[in-house]
Amino acid sequence: MAGGVGWRLLPLLLVLVLVPGGLGKPTARQERARPGAAQQQQQHHEDGPGFQYDHEAFLGKEEARSFDQLSPEESRERLGKIVDRIDENKDGYLTTEELKNWIKRVQKRYIYENVAKVWKDYDLNKDNKIAWEEYKQATYGYYLENPEEFQDATDRHSFKKMLPRDERRFKTADQDGDLAATREEFTAFLHPEEFEHMKNIVVLETLEDIDKNEDGFVDQDEYIADMFANEEGGPEPDWVITEREQFSDFRDLNKDGKMDKEEIQHWILPQDYDHALAEARHLVYESDVDKDQKLTKEEVLDNWNMFVGSQATNYGEDLTRNHDEL
């Protein structure tokens, strides 16, 4: 869940292009990002120079680029304001725990803001719930009423697959079974990796996406094909070879040459890995000049280029908005 979103799993949804009549004309777009992929990215970025991981793990590429437009002076000034907010006990230091808490709070707020932004698009009758029929109409209505416009066999197959998949996820998120999602239930639908009762759905959707031969397992070639397409037929790059070794050594726990659902869950939703804590530790380690396991504002600002665009700055928005909301 891999990409920018880092550990946050993006649902398989549709891009809606509004057309006359109020229905959405859907275009298939898959953005599945695995939470466990963040652990892999963290390991890779600790092995090499550069701040790309810090800038993109939470921001995404577009937001990181937009923040890069600030001058160094503006970046340092705004980052200083963030430091004051992260310092919970106002002792003049940022601890790993304070950084972790900030990153988690910012991520949680992002998730609920994301739901708020799309809520009105689906709550068609404005009853502060989103019924399955409302979601289906807003998302798939154009396709269902105009199937003749979808001549491409791949598109038709995608929509036929996505509709029952979304329905299955919606019904799992709908804990009271009334086929109408509250904001919390709709949040679980859009961000299932954040909810314990949705984890089986996360695993199942990952399996369905990667398991191309539909045998109910993910073998090594399917695992690699999900992240690398060797279109030119040349030798695999070193990182792919490393991923094959990772599969054999750490993914395939029972050494039968493939991953079952339990092994997939261990991979994408590891119980012993806290992404926010790992990022907080990394920021402290790289910036803690006097090695006292905590950061002064001066240490943060001296290493401002690492923090700019990292999870701690939340798209740069936290630099300018009212932080009392957090």
Side-chain angles (χ1 to χ4, degrees):
M1 153 171 130
V5 267
W7 73 99
R8 179 175 51 84
L9 179 133
L10 293 177
L12 180 66
L13 293 176
L14 301 175
V15 178
L16 300 180
V17 180
L18 296 182
V19 297
L23 297 178
K25 183 175 181 179
T27 302
R29 176 171 66 92
Q30 178 177 328
E31 284 190 345
R32 178 179 48 80
R34 296 177 303 276
Q39 186 175 8
Q40 293 169 280
Q41 290 175 307
Q42 180 81 22
Q43 292 167 344
H44 292 326
H45 111 90
E46 288 175 353
D47 291 337
F51 302 137
Q52 183 178 358
Y53 177 87
D54 299 292
H55 289 203
E56 295 182 2
F58 194 84
L59 292 174
K61 293 182 180 180
E62 293 300 321
E63 290 82 359
R65 279 198 290 264
S66 68
F67 197 80
D68 285 342
Q69 303 307 309
L70 294 176
S71 68
E73 292 75 19
E74 290 174 314
S75 297
R76 286 170 55 89
E77 179 183 354
R78 296 186 183 185
L79 184 57
K81 296 176 182 178
I82 281 286
V83 171
D84 294 337
R85 296 293 178 177
I86 298 175
D87 182 14
E88 297 171 0
N89 61 5
K90 307 304 178 187
D91 66 350
Y93 297 95
L94 300 189
T95 64
T96 300
E97 185 71 13
E98 287 173 327
L99 276 168
K100 181 195 76 172
N101 291 343
W102 177 263
I103 290 167
K104 286 189 171 183
R105 268 164 48 199
V106 166
Q107 165 64 0
K108 186 175 181 179
R109 193 195 67 198
Y110 162 76
I111 288 172
Y112 284 97
E113 286 186 349
N114 173 252
V115 172
K117 287 177 182 178
V118 302
W119 183 265
K120 65 180 183 300
D121 296 329
Y122 298 110
D123 183 15
L124 302 180
N125 65 3
K126 310 304 178 187
D127 66 347
N128 209 33
K129 284 189 175 185
I130 295 175
W132 165 246
E133 289 300 322
E134 288 180 305
Y135 177 82
K136 183 173 73 171
Q137 178 71 2
T139 305
Y140 297 98
Y142 190 90
Y143 165 71
L144 294 172
E145 294 187 12
N146 303 275
E148 70 281 356
E149 292 196 21
F150 295 84
Q151 299 299 322
D152 185 83
T154 301
D155 281 351
R156 289 200 303 271
H157 175 75
S158 294
F159 293 124
K160 287 180 180 178
K161 174 184 176 182
M162 291 161 71
L163 176 54
R165 176 162 157 157
D166 270 356
E167 183 174 10
R168 180 182 65 193
R169 187 196 279 201
F170 190 98
K171 289 181 176 179
T172 303
D174 176 31
Q175 289 191 288
D176 60 11
D178 64 353
L179 291 181
T182 63
R183 285 186 181 263
E184 189 73 5
E185 289 171 336
F186 198 65
T187 302
F189 172 68
L190 292 183
H191 299 276
E193 77 289 348
E194 298 293 328
F195 295 82
E196 187 67 31
H197 68 282
M198 299 294 291
K199 287 187 176 180
N200 287 340
I201 285 290
V202 176
V203 172
L204 182 57
E205 290 182 2
T206 302
L207 173 62
E208 290 172 345
D209 287 342
I210 304 178
D211 177 24
K212 299 306 182 184
N213 63 11
E214 299 182 348
D215 66 350
F217 300 92
V218 173
D219 60 37
Q220 186 180 105
D221 287 338
E222 290 170 329
Y223 171 80
I224 295 298
D226 184 56
M227 60 183 79
F228 173 73
N230 194 354
E231 297 175 352
E232 299 179 0
E236 292 181 340
D238 289 344
W239 73 265
V240 174
I241 296 173
T242 299
E243 284 299 335
R244 289 192 180 276
E245 295 172 352
Q246 289 281 318
F247 182 92
S248 299
D249 295 342
F250 302 109
R251 312 290 180 231
D252 179 19
L253 300 177
N254 62 7
K255 309 305 178 187
D256 65 352
K258 54 192 177 184
M259 287 193 291
D260 57 25
K261 289 181 181 178
E262 184 176 343
E263 289 167 319
I264 291 172
Q265 179 167 337
H266 187 269
W267 166 41
I268 64 173
L269 299 170
Q271 295 299 309
D272 56 350
Y273 184 78
D274 185 329
H275 176 87
L277 178 60
E279 177 67 5
R281 284 173 172 169
H282 171 70
L283 292 172
V284 171
Y285 178 81
E286 294 294 339
S287 308
D288 183 18
V289 176
D290 60 10
K291 303 305 176 185
D292 63 352
Q293 306 301 311
K294 53 189 177 182
L295 302 180
T296 63
K297 179 184 285 190
E298 183 180 3
E299 286 175 321
V300 173
L301 296 182
D302 283 346
N303 200 19
W304 65 271
N305 198 39
M306 169 167 282
F307 286 84
V308 169
S310 81
Q311 296 174 51
T313 60
N314 184 36
Y315 305 90
E317 292 176 5
D318 284 323
L319 301 171
T320 56
R321 69 183 295 163
N322 182 355
H323 294 272
D324 293 336
E325 297 173 15
L326 294 174

